[in-house]
Amino acid sequence: MPHDRVTTARPVRQPQDNVPQTKQQRDDLLAVIRQYVEAHGPVPPLSIGELRAHTEAVLEQAGMDRKYTDYAAVLVNNEVWRETVAAIPYEKRLLLLPKCLRSSTECPASFDDLGLLCEHCGRCAIDELKSQAEQLGYAVLVAEGSPVVMGLIETGRIEAVVGASCLSVLERVFPYMEAGAVPGVAIPLLRDGCADTSVDLDWVWEAIYQTTDDQTRRLDLDALHEQVNAWFSQEALAQMIAPQPDETEQVALDWMAKAGKRWRPFLGVCAYKALSTDGSPATDKDLQRIAVAVECFHKASLVHDDIEDGDSERYGEKTLHSEHGVPVALNIGDLLLGDGYRLLVETDASDERKAKLLNAAVQGHRTLCLGQGRELAWARAPRPLTVDQVLEIFRMKTAPAFEVALRLGAVLAGCDDRVGSVLKQYSESLGIAYQIRDDLDDLRSPDGIDLCASRRPSVLLALAYEMGDEAKRTRIERQWAPSATDADRQQVRQIVSAQEVELAAMRLMESYKAQAIGSLIALKNANLKGLLRRVMGKIFNDFEIMGCCNDHPPRHAPRRD
């Protein structure tokens, strides 16, 4: 990798003491606040006394320390105003971002009297946030201070403010907002100060996109996910696939019921829920058929993939071929493919829609096989791959399953023609980000796949090779030699585990998540746009998303055309 493209790693800083330390804790607190506001219905604008009382009640209900009072108060105030802000057109909203999210050493932007003039260089989160908000119709300022905000509000052009800021600034601004009864949603930075700042970026995106046009915004995604998971119990699967299973069918049912997050069938159901108001509603049974078909295709691909990769474990248990032998496993994989196509044909959809359902599945099936073919060709003669080459394999192997799920839901709702191109772009970026996360999970987990011992392309290995000096590159190349020893592979593990490699992968993942979000701009259906945005946050909610002053642009971030 050329020297000017190397990203300097920055230590990940913990949130300050008066902010919950993990993303899960912050998400849990937000969930309690939303339940509280729904139950008690406080009316904005809240005085400081009202806000304090509600915040104390929320912290008591959440069982959290009083040191989080200031942070929780901001979230309570956000939730009280949320419906009001959602009803205000994007064109009447201001997005206010702190300039400390920029790269202080690399930022080429200049300043005027109102704030930073972003050059869209891609070196920080400001670029994506500003670009997408402006496409929606927002006015955007990268500046600090209440006088600028209040001046714009007094002109009548701005009726609501969405933004991010540190707790100390929000504390100073609150009296102005409360006195002017200004609707606002403010996402607190996780650390005060003007350097190395960070923010839960998924919350910022949610605040930017929220609109009352999105009729799914109150849809409980956790409950919907649980409903989908229930379709994969042994009993539910037997009713759908094989009510009186023989020995072969029982093996298939057992494999289908094994652990899994069911994100793909969940995506299909979400797409249908978002679009079904525009088309003829399908029966619950048809929706279940679509979801199970998606998982049949996915689980079949895993069976074949495990055989081809020589993997002996999955989900912490033996792979199907390790337990039953290769011939049985191959047959089960083929059976599940047949069951998937059968379920699509058995829907009560019209013949035209059935043809579209089958076409979507066939196209995804074919692309996935071509991607696997590239991986197998590499495995016959493994060598260092560029990051772009690895990402192309990810695009072909992982993204099709997401696209098939979304397209099947859209077809069932009768809306696929209007959203197909966006779903493709969204799925490709989502699939790549998801696979990068899998690589990161494998790196971090003692039970994960050994990226150095396994013969499959890894974005972490590719990054380590491109970022490494000649000595490190030689060690990485040596691991595939017939004479390679465990000591050689251990050296490569140390190279791949370096913090700068992990952080580069995280930045790369974030860039593809941002591209997935950006693809939604083209959607005219607010339900689908809002729901897919929320689904992104749900799928990746175990990652703390950093927006940091010293972040440089990822080398392989997707280009914006």
Side-chain angles (χ1 to χ4, degrees):
M1 178 187 292
H3 178 71
D4 62 355
R5 287 180 172 176
V6 174
T7 302
T8 302
R10 176 192 57 78
V12 177
R13 300 176 66 194
Q14 283 293 106
Q16 61 195 41
D17 186 59
N18 63 342
V19 173
Q21 296 297 291
T22 69
K23 183 65 163 65
Q24 188 61 57
Q25 289 175 330
R26 297 191 292 275
D27 283 341
D28 289 345
L29 176 59
L30 180 59
V32 170
I33 288 171
R34 287 183 169 172
Q35 292 170 2
Y36 176 89
V37 171
E38 179 73 20
H40 295 83
V43 178
L46 299 180
S47 67
I48 189 66
E50 289 177 298
L51 183 59
R52 185 178 295 114
H54 289 304
T55 301
E56 289 176 357
V58 162
L59 289 175
E60 178 72 25
Q61 185 173 326
M64 298 190 76
D65 197 292
R66 291 297 185 273
K67 67 181 179 181
Y68 301 133
T69 295
D70 290 345
Y71 179 84
V74 175
L75 301 190
V76 170
N77 198 58
N78 287 348
E79 191 60 24
V80 170
W81 278 116
R82 186 160 66 101
E83 288 298 311
T84 303
V85 172
I88 295 172
Y90 293 135
E91 295 80 6
K92 289 286 188 178
R93 300 186 204 173
L94 170 69
L95 176 63
L96 185 63
L97 298 171
K99 61 181 183 294
C100 59
L101 285 178
R102 71 190 180 102
S103 169
S104 58
T105 58
E106 298 289 328
C107 179
S110 57
F111 291 83
D112 65 8
D113 292 339
L114 293 180
L116 180 141
L117 301 174
C118 181
E119 295 287 343
H120 303 288
C121 66
R123 290 181 170 90
C124 68
I126 291 174
D127 180 14
E128 288 288 350
L129 292 168
K130 184 175 187 296
S131 297
Q132 293 189 38
E134 287 176 338
Q135 288 185 58
L136 289 173
Y138 276 78
V140 181
L141 280 179
V142 185
E144 301 282 4
S146 54
V148 171
V149 177
M150 296 309 298
L152 285 170
I153 291 171
E154 288 171 0
T155 67
R157 182 188 169 196
I158 299 300
E159 297 179 7
V161 179
V162 174
S165 191
C166 59
L167 287 174
S168 58
V169 169
L170 293 175
E171 185 178 0
R172 294 197 302 270
V173 169
F174 179 81
Y176 293 94
M177 302 285 285
E178 188 267 335
V182 178
V185 173
I187 310 304
L189 298 179
L190 304 183
R191 296 192 67 88
D192 289 349
C194 295
D196 295 325
T197 54
S198 56
V199 66
D200 287 319
L201 197 56
D202 55 334
W203 289 8
V204 181
W205 286 119
E206 180 184 20
I208 289 172
Y209 272 87
Q210 64 186 351
T211 170
T212 51
D213 291 339
D214 175 11
Q215 299 174 25
T216 69
R217 71 190 190 284
R218 289 189 174 276
L219 183 64
D220 188 336
L221 293 184
D222 288 324
L224 186 61
H225 200 190
E226 289 176 6
Q227 177 187 345
V228 171
N229 283 333
W231 292 341
F232 295 94
S233 67
Q234 280 276 358
E235 296 76 15
L237 284 170
Q239 291 179 6
M240 182 65 59
I241 296 176
Q244 295 180 318
D246 64 14
E247 183 177 352
T248 298
E249 289 170 324
Q250 188 59 55
V251 174
L253 290 174
D254 291 342
W255 177 246
M256 283 285 290
K258 279 187 180 292
K261 296 180 179 178
R262 319 293 184 192
W263 289 125
R264 294 158 188 84
F266 175 69
L267 278 171
V269 173
C270 284
Y272 173 79
K273 292 286 187 182
L275 294 167
S276 58
T277 55
D278 295 335
S280 301
T283 64
D284 288 343
K285 184 62 70 176
D286 276 352
L287 193 56
Q288 186 176 352
R289 287 188 179 105
I290 292 292
V292 175
V294 167
E295 193 72 356
C296 281
F297 297 140
H298 176 55
K299 285 297 183 70
S301 73
L302 296 185
V303 173
H304 294 157
D305 197 54
D306 287 341
I307 294 171
E308 292 161 353
D309 291 348
D311 291 333
S312 59
E313 287 191 358
R314 183 177 289 275
Y315 307 132
E317 301 178 29
K318 286 184 177 181
T319 53
L320 199 64
H321 72 275
S322 295
E323 184 174 356
H324 296 281
V326 171
V328 170
L330 283 173
N331 190 52
I332 294 299
D334 292 343
L335 174 63
L336 290 176
L337 288 173
D339 277 331
Y341 287 113
R342 174 178 61 82
L343 288 169
L344 298 183
V345 173
E346 288 180 353
T347 63
D348 292 328
S350 66
D351 288 345
E352 181 183 1
R353 287 193 187 178
K354 285 181 182 179
K356 288 184 175 183
L357 291 172
L358 291 171
N359 184 53
V362 166
Q363 288 184 15
H365 188 170
R366 187 173 186 277
T367 302
L368 185 151
C369 290
L370 291 173
Q372 179 69 356
R374 290 195 182 190
E375 181 174 312
L376 292 172
W378 171 84
R380 286 196 296 270
R383 63 201 180 282
L385 292 175
T386 67
V387 173
D388 288 335
Q389 288 172 325
V390 173
L391 296 182
E392 178 63 10
I393 292 174
F394 288 177
R395 183 190 68 79
M396 297 181 73
K397 278 198 60 177
T398 306
F402 290 112
E403 183 182 356
V404 167
L406 289 167
R407 284 186 63 189
L408 293 182
V411 169
L412 197 63
C415 299
D416 57 303
D417 292 336
R418 283 174 280 170
V419 299
S421 61
V422 173
L423 294 183
K424 181 176 181 62
Q425 296 172 33
Y426 177 85
S427 300
E428 287 187 353
S429 298
L430 171 61
I432 290 172
Y434 191 87
Q435 191 60 55
I436 294 172
R437 187 180 73 165
D438 269 2
D439 275 12
L440 285 165
D441 285 347
D442 289 335
L443 175 69
R444 295 161 173 163
S445 172
D447 300 323
I449 296 172
D450 188 334
L451 296 174
C452 300
S454 68
R455 290 207 167 192
R456 68 179 182 86
S458 161
V459 73
L460 290 163
L461 271 173
L463 283 168
Y465 188 81
E466 290 196 358
M467 297 170 68
D469 56 22
E470 184 175 351
K472 289 179 179 178
R473 290 187 176 195
T474 300
R475 291 191 187 102
I476 291 173
E477 292 168 356
R478 189 185 304 153
Q479 72 165 325
W480 292 302
S483 59
T485 65
D486 288 341
D488 292 328
R489 282 184 280 272
Q490 182 58 36
Q491 286 183 331
V492 175
R493 289 187 192 97
Q494 292 173 355
I495 294 170
V496 172
S497 299
Q499 187 181 56
E500 59 265 24
V501 175
E502 181 178 359
L503 289 176
M506 290 178 66
R507 283 189 289 270
L508 189 59
M509 179 184 69
E510 293 304 327
S511 72
Y512 276 94
K513 287 166 61 178
Q515 188 181 32
I517 295 167
S519 70
L520 302 179
I521 289 287
L523 281 176
K524 302 303 181 185
N525 184 294
N527 291 341
L528 186 61
K529 179 185 287 187
L531 195 59
L532 291 183
R533 179 61 201 90
R534 291 171 61 202
V535 166
M536 279 284 294
K538 182 166 182 59
I539 290 176
F540 291 96
N541 68 356
D542 54 339
F543 271 78
E544 180 175 302
I545 305 171
M546 310 299 290
C548 307
C549 288
N550 294 326
D551 276 355
H552 294 197
R555 154 75 172 82
H556 297 273
R559 293 186 297 272
R560 284 183 299 277
D561 297 324

